[in-house]
Amino acid sequence: MTADGSALGRHAKGISPCLMIRRAAVHEFYAVTEADAPQTTGAMLALALDLSSRPLLWVRQDFLSREGGTPYPPGLREFGFDPARIIFVQGRDAAAVLQAGLEGARCAALAGVLIELWGEAKALDLTASRRLAIAAKASGTPVLMARIAAQPCPSAAETRWHVRAAPSRALAASAPGHPAVSLDLLRHRGGLAQAIWHLEWNRDIRSFEDRAAGS
């Protein structure tokens, strides 16, 4: 689906993942390993950049901050986000995070809701994911959810992805390359086939570039 909900067809390869992040829906991003957590959050943030200039609610399980630190405002600004746009909330457990995320999903004034959960999160059952999907559909507010140290499981998400870090390619004069990530589409409710993208984040244009296209 495109951002406005129009059909893309059956074949996912050749379509930008950004076009699959439809508003008024829930999208899940699973880190392949725990070490892929930063890349998973980064990919989710990158896909959320174009949602709008309205505030963005970011809800995180506090264990993730203890393990990897909290968002760094200058870094967010360098990434392309105005830190003043972000409402950052931490919850002690999955139930608290999901409740805060649900309240955000019900709010049409938000550009979107980012949720980060650690572990299998029993609180995120089919009922909880359906509540999020219903709220997102009613408000038009998209929900992007990062799952760290968890295995993909049935949910009401419109898309489901595996995210892993990829090696960077050096720039001219052996300068450090762009951050790279692999996105594997596991499920698309509209019926698009599974596909894998190898993407690089271009900080100058603040957009993903398909590595295969630039090879």
Side-chain angles (χ1 to χ4, degrees):
M1 296 292 179
T2 62
D4 64 1
S6 57
L8 289 170
R10 302 291 295 180
H11 302 290
K13 197 58 181 172
I15 301 166
S16 168
C18 299
L19 294 177
M20 299 185 194
I21 306 304
R22 191 175 65 88
R23 291 171 169 80
V26 176
H27 307 274
E28 289 181 324
F29 300 85
Y30 282 83
V32 173
T33 70
E34 293 179 23
D36 293 309
Q39 287 76 18
T40 302
T41 299
M44 192 170 68
L45 279 169
L47 292 169
L49 260 179
D50 293 331
L51 290 176
S52 85
S53 60
R54 290 176 292 169
L56 186 78
L57 177 64
W58 184 348
V59 190
R60 164 185 276 190
Q61 202 164 336
D62 61 6
F63 180 79
L64 288 164
S65 291
R66 293 198 300 271
E67 286 291 295
T70 56
Y72 182 53
L76 289 171
R77 189 176 290 108
E78 182 74 14
F79 195 76
F81 267 107
D82 177 2
R85 260 186 69 194
I86 296 177
I87 303 167
F88 187 66
V89 176
Q90 292 194 114
R92 184 176 61 181
D93 53 30
V97 170
L98 289 169
Q99 183 59 45
L102 179 60
E103 294 302 322
R106 291 169 173 161
C107 180
L110 293 173
V113 177
L114 306 182
I115 296 175
E116 289 183 286
L117 292 175
W118 172 269
E120 296 301 336
K122 293 181 180 179
L124 184 59
D125 55 16
L126 274 173
T127 299
S129 70
R130 286 184 183 128
R131 285 175 181 156
L132 283 169
I134 290 169
K137 183 176 181 179
S139 67
T141 300
V143 176
L144 282 64
M145 186 181 309
R147 303 293 313 278
I148 314 300
Q151 294 299 315
C153 60
S155 74
E158 180 162 291
T159 65
R160 185 176 301 127
W161 307 79
H162 254 157
V163 186
R164 74 182 75 219
S168 296
R169 299 183 297 181
L171 300 177
S174 298
H178 297 305
V181 65
S182 289
L183 284 180
D184 184 351
L185 178 64
L186 302 177
R187 179 180 186 273
H188 188 281
R189 190 174 286 273
L192 294 181
Q194 288 184 288
I196 299 176
W197 289 261
H198 302 290
L199 304 173
E200 292 181 341
W201 178 252
N202 188 323
R203 54 174 285 184
D204 296 321
I205 62 174
R206 292 176 177 173
S207 179
F208 275 130
E209 295 180 320
D210 192 325
R211 175 180 288 187
S215 298

